[in-house]
Amino acid sequence: MGYDKSDELAINTIRVLAIDATIKSNSGHPGAPMGMAPVAHVLWKKFMTFNPKNPDWLNRDRFVLSNGHACMLQYTMLHLYKYAISMDDMKTFRQVDSILPGHPEAHDTPGIEVTTGPLGQGFANAVGLAIAQAHTGAVFNKPGFELVNNHTYMFFGDGCAMEGIASEAASTAGHLKLGNLIAIYDDNHISIDGDTKCAFTEDVSKRFEAYGWHVQHVEDGDHDLEGIEKAIQKAKDVTDKPSMIKLTTTIGFGSKLQGTGGVHGNPLKKDDAAQVKEKFGFDPEKSFVVPQEVYDTYAEHAAKGAAAEEEWNKLFEKYSSEHKTEAADLKRRLSKQLPEGWQEKLPVYSPKDPAIASRKLSETVLEKIHDVIPELLSGSADLTGSNNTRWKQAVDFQPPDLGIGEWSGRYLRYGVREHSMAGIMNGISAYGTLIPAGGTFLNFVSYAAGAVRLSSLSHQRVIYVATHDSIGLGEDGPTHQPIETLAHFRALPNMMVWRPADGNECSAAYYVALTSTGTPSILALTRQNLPQLEGSTIEKASKGGYVALEDKEAKITLVSTGSEVSICLEAVKYLAENHQIKARVVSMPCTEVFDAQSKEYKLSVIPDGIASLSVEVMSTLGWEKYSHEQFGLNRFGASGPYLEVYKKFEFTPEGISKRAKATVEFWSDVKPLRSPVNRAFQQLI
């Protein structure tokens, strides 16, 4: 194996750079980078294949830092390997507009694969990356052409090991026998509260063995480079299960505070930094120093990665001549372009078509498009029959030896693991060859909120199929009936929340979700049947909001979503017959998409000079942006047949009409009456 003074110098350089960057920013976590520098050095130099000049090369090995507070370790490795991170960048760690934020963000920093930080998220992302590799290899590899065979390597710490999402994801990975996934557990016994014996005394190795992982232990992670190398090689040799290497390290190795919580979340004191540098052979008076020998050591391995990509490109060129269809498909996927004409498969409806639950409408879309969008990977958190996320001829993604699926399968059984499902989907999306869709009840998307938030932050094209969207699910009652959920997720930047009112709107939701390459989507879908609307089209709904029923003499606009739109249309008739009030109806399937339209368009939908009332069986929070008055549900629901529950809360033509009449009467004296859209626009500027 052969380790010498040059390896020691490289490892200590990693440690010292982490110290310097955290001291300069007066913020950060030097301890984990100092403790994990040896394993990072061995892994990146001896095992990982990548090309710093092309961070997006498909067959590169993926590295995920789930304990994202240790990000200076990853940033340092990227700098030393000459990714596009300069020494000046290193000096701006954790500063405004730096490409080195306080935790890894995929869209900020070259070489960062996934956005991590909240503990355990990266663990789930790594499982997703491994799933995507296994599937992509099964689809595109041919005899003599092993195009896709990369590994995913992931570091995680005690905090990740405590988080539930990591346990969920580890269980999934063990079941799926993901032999391409190698996790290294930083067993340093320290969390923010101090020694983990205060809260975390389980045997992590035994837990992972029970999950079905191959487990090893390297007892001296501070010095035993050969032991680390042997363990990683053995993990690579195990191809029928994921591997976890428990690596016992000393957090803050070399510091006066090594092995304590004092080096977990605080920069070293200057005197401590000075003695560490002196101990490691560096000048205590100098900062951000990298010996040329270290750059040269890593440049040699980087050159091997560049050569590997060059060989891969030659292989792909030959592959393209022998497997033209597959090569063209892979190129298209990597460019994030959808197949030409795919949208023609989207189902179109008219009022003559029967009333159908939007969860079934979603199933019809998947049935129609799965053949023409082969990168679509669907799944569900143990609710396949309720979410309707599986097309009839779907094959499960499973280890072939189980006899219940194939690696090339496109339906993923996530089990009752909503949170890890979302985190795994982020990893699948990040791989670059698949578009993941995953289902659960809308109420339980809240279980997955941490990962859903990172979908938005990291610009992943993932689709959350969220059924049983309201009190309309009925008898299961308030524990399952989402009230606040849409307000929460509508508040997320870069998140499209769709609540379609009929079949055309459901098709529009999928159209926009699939064509928006950097924005995730939540599709809130009904259990109960919905009629097909007279005024809906895919084109109109794709603008996020449109006029479903117009009346130039209307005194009020009813703005609604999902199952309440058809009730509003009934309310229009009731208003005219019983109160002599004419009304118009706006369907607003996605507020974020509507907000992106021009001011002129938005004012044509919700115009000046007319009162407006929003109607949705959810929290009214946020609806003041689109209506003068709001009719919603600012309390928990009730258990019972859904029509009776709607009646209890007066979400009926009569109940809506009563509130519409009061709204008209209250706002009739306001001259001129400004549209909420106009008001919101003025507040914005």
Side-chain angles (χ1 to χ4, degrees):
M1 295 182 182
Y3 290 96
D4 55 29
K5 291 292 184 181
S6 66
D7 297 289
E8 183 179 347
L9 179 62
I11 290 167
N12 288 333
T13 300
I14 297 168
R15 289 169 169 152
V16 170
L17 277 179
I19 292 170
D20 287 340
T22 51
I23 287 177
K24 189 170 192 308
S25 68
N26 195 30
S27 177
H29 301 66
M34 294 170 72
M36 297 197 80
V39 67
H41 171 73
V42 173
L43 175 65
W44 287 57
K45 183 184 176 186
K46 295 282 188 174
F47 292 98
M48 286 183 58
T49 301
F50 54 88
N51 181 8
K53 294 181 180 179
N54 181 17
D56 297 326
W57 170 39
L58 172 61
N59 203 39
R60 68 192 182 277
D61 286 326
R62 268 56 167 191
F63 176 79
V64 176
L65 188 69
S66 188
N67 47 339
H69 54 270
C71 56
M72 187 40 66
L73 174 67
Q74 190 171 12
Y75 296 157
T76 297
M77 299 307 295
L78 293 172
H79 167 74
L80 294 176
Y81 273 99
K82 295 295 180 76
Y83 281 78
I85 298 172
S86 68
M87 187 60 82
D88 286 339
D89 292 324
M90 296 287 284
K91 296 175 182 178
T92 66
F93 174 53
R94 289 195 165 207
Q95 304 307 300
V96 174
D97 295 329
S98 170
I99 65 169
L100 305 183
H103 288 82
E105 295 185 36
H107 285 264
D108 283 354
T109 315
I112 299 295
E113 302 288 356
V114 289
T115 299
T116 63
L119 294 176
Q121 295 290 338
F123 197 118
N125 298 162
V127 174
L129 288 165
I131 287 170
Q133 185 279 322
H135 175 87
T136 305
V139 171
F140 290 101
N141 289 349
K142 304 294 181 184
F145 294 98
E146 195 170 357
L147 285 182
V148 183
N149 59 6
N150 69 277
H151 281 72
T152 295
Y153 298 96
M154 177 257 296
F155 287 177
F156 73 104
D158 288 306
C160 296
M162 293 187 225
E163 286 285 2
I165 184 173
S167 298
E168 293 180 23
S171 178
T172 297
H175 164 74
L176 292 175
K177 303 183 178 183
L178 297 173
N180 56 357
L181 174 62
I182 298 173
I184 297 175
Y185 166 35
D186 181 21
D187 172 43
N188 63 37
H189 301 283
I190 294 295
S191 66
I192 290 177
D193 273 1
D195 195 304
T196 54
K197 66 184 178 183
C198 70
F200 189 56
T201 53
E202 69 179 47
D203 190 325
V204 176
S205 294
K206 287 183 179 178
R207 171 153 62 98
F208 273 73
E209 287 173 356
Y211 287 146
W213 288 57
H214 172 253
V215 176
Q216 302 174 77
H217 183 197
V218 178
E219 296 184 5
D220 184 6
D222 300 327
H223 305 96
D224 189 4
L225 304 186
E226 291 191 359
I228 292 170
E229 182 177 348
K230 287 179 181 177
I232 297 174
Q233 184 58 58
K234 190 171 183 180
K236 284 193 70 175
D237 292 340
V238 174
T239 59
D240 62 346
K241 57 179 66 177
S243 289
M244 189 274 275
I245 301 169
K246 177 181 176 180
L247 184 72
T248 300
T249 68
T250 302
I251 190 170
F253 181 85
S255 164
K256 295 177 181 179
L257 298 174
Q258 71 175 29
T260 73
V263 287
H264 185 284
N266 302 290
L268 299 190
K269 301 296 183 183
K270 288 189 177 180
D271 65 320
D272 196 1
Q275 70 87 22
V276 170
K277 288 183 180 181
E278 191 169 1
K279 184 185 299 182
F280 291 158
F282 287 77
D283 187 340
E285 301 300 320
K286 295 182 179 179
S287 299
F288 296 99
V289 173
V290 177
Q292 186 59 45
E293 181 183 349
V294 175
Y295 281 131
D296 293 344
T297 294
Y298 289 137
E300 183 179 344
H301 183 68
K304 292 179 181 177
E309 184 188 357
E310 187 176 347
E311 287 301 310
W312 187 91
N313 289 334
K314 293 177 182 177
L315 181 69
F316 185 70
E317 185 177 350
K318 187 177 180 183
Y319 178 91
S320 298
S321 64
E322 296 189 25
H323 303 281
K324 294 181 180 179
T325 301
E326 290 86 351
D329 185 27
L330 184 57
K331 286 180 181 179
R332 178 190 59 75
R333 294 190 192 196
L334 293 172
S335 70
K336 292 190 174 183
Q337 299 299 310
L338 295 171
E340 187 175 348
W342 74 273
Q343 67 274 16
E344 296 172 8
K345 294 289 186 177
L346 288 169
V348 177
Y349 298 85
S350 75
K352 296 178 182 178
D353 293 312
I356 304 172
S358 54
R359 62 172 175 164
K360 290 293 292 182
L361 294 167
S362 168
E363 180 182 48
T364 300
V365 172
L366 294 174
E367 196 68 58
K368 295 286 188 181
I369 68 173
H370 76 268
D371 272 344
V372 291
I373 305 182
E375 62 266 43
L376 184 62
L377 182 77
S378 189
S380 174
D382 199 55
L383 289 166
T384 297
S386 295
N387 297 151
N388 301 112
T389 43
R390 192 177 193 272
W391 52 89
K392 291 183 178 65
Q393 301 303 317
V395 174
D396 284 4
F397 175 87
Q398 297 279 2
D401 62 348
L402 293 182
I404 55 174
E406 298 290 340
W407 289 129
S408 59
R410 292 169 53 198
Y411 193 76
L412 227 167
R413 308 280 185 170
Y414 289 100
V416 189
R417 306 183 184 101
E418 295 91 346
H419 198 183
S420 70
M421 176 179 75
I424 289 169
M425 287 167 65
N426 286 337
I428 291 171
S429 174
Y431 192 81
T433 57
L434 293 167
I435 303 172
T440 186
F441 287 1
L442 176 60
N443 200 51
F444 303 125
V445 178
S446 295
Y447 271 21
V452 172
R453 184 175 186 272
L454 289 182
S455 301
S456 296
L457 180 61
S458 54
H459 302 273
Q460 298 299 343
R461 178 168 48 175
V462 300
I463 301 172
Y464 296 101
V465 181
T467 68
H468 296 62
D469 72 335
S470 72
I471 59 173
L473 68 86
E475 290 85 349
D476 277 338
T479 63
H480 283 51
Q481 294 168 357
I483 301 303
E484 79 295 344
T485 312
L486 291 190
H488 173 191
F489 291 117
R490 283 171 178 154
L492 267 182
N494 192 43
M495 171 61 73
M496 294 185 293
V497 178
W498 289 88
R499 191 167 183 248
D502 75 346
N504 291 329
E505 291 192 12
C506 190
S507 292
Y510 271 99
Y511 174 79
V512 180
L514 287 164
T515 55
S516 299
T517 58
T519 302
S521 303
I522 296 173
L523 275 55
L525 307 171
T526 66
R527 178 177 183 258
Q528 73 272 32
N529 290 335
L530 304 180
Q532 310 305 327
L533 305 180
E534 180 75 39
S536 76
T537 66
I538 295 175
E539 182 181 8
K540 289 180 183 178
S542 294
K543 293 185 176 181
Y546 66 98
V547 180
L549 178 67
E550 186 62 278
D551 189 325
K552 298 299 184 183
E553 298 179 3
K555 299 295 184 183
I556 187 168
T557 298
L558 302 177
V559 185
S560 191
T561 75
S563 47
E564 288 76 73
V565 175
S566 58
I567 305 175
C568 284
L569 290 168
E570 292 297 317
V572 169
K573 300 174 186 176
Y574 189 92
L575 274 168
E577 293 172 1
N578 294 278
H579 302 295
Q580 290 71 55
I581 295 175
K582 293 185 176 181
R584 58 199 296 276
V585 176
V586 166
S587 182
M588 185 77 73
C590 184
T591 57
E592 179 168 270
V593 173
F594 180 72
D595 288 345
Q597 306 305 315
S598 67
K599 182 187 175 186
E600 289 74 20
Y601 176 77
K602 288 185 285 188
L603 283 173
S604 74
V605 176
I606 307 176
D608 284 332
I610 182 172
S612 54
L613 172 71
S614 64
V615 181
E616 187 178 58
V617 290
M618 309 269 182
S619 167
T620 59
L621 186 66
W623 277 107
E624 62 276 2
K625 187 176 179 181
Y626 310 99
S627 59
H628 297 101
E629 301 290 340
Q630 296 81 41
F631 178 28
L633 201 60
N634 293 317
R635 53 149 288 176
F636 292 112
S639 180
Y642 87 90
L643 289 175
E644 294 301 315
V645 178
Y646 267 75
K647 185 177 180 181
K648 171 182 172 61
F649 295 115
E650 297 190 353
F651 284 93
T652 61
E654 296 82 358
I656 294 170
S657 297
K658 178 173 71 174
R659 289 161 177 81
K661 179 175 181 291
T663 300
V664 170
E665 291 172 349
F666 180 83
W667 287 93
S668 61
D669 293 332
V670 179
K671 305 294 183 183
L673 183 58
R674 306 289 284 173
S675 165
V677 169
N678 220 331
R679 182 181 63 208
F681 180 79
Q682 289 184 341
Q683 289 173 346
L684 181 64
I685 63 174

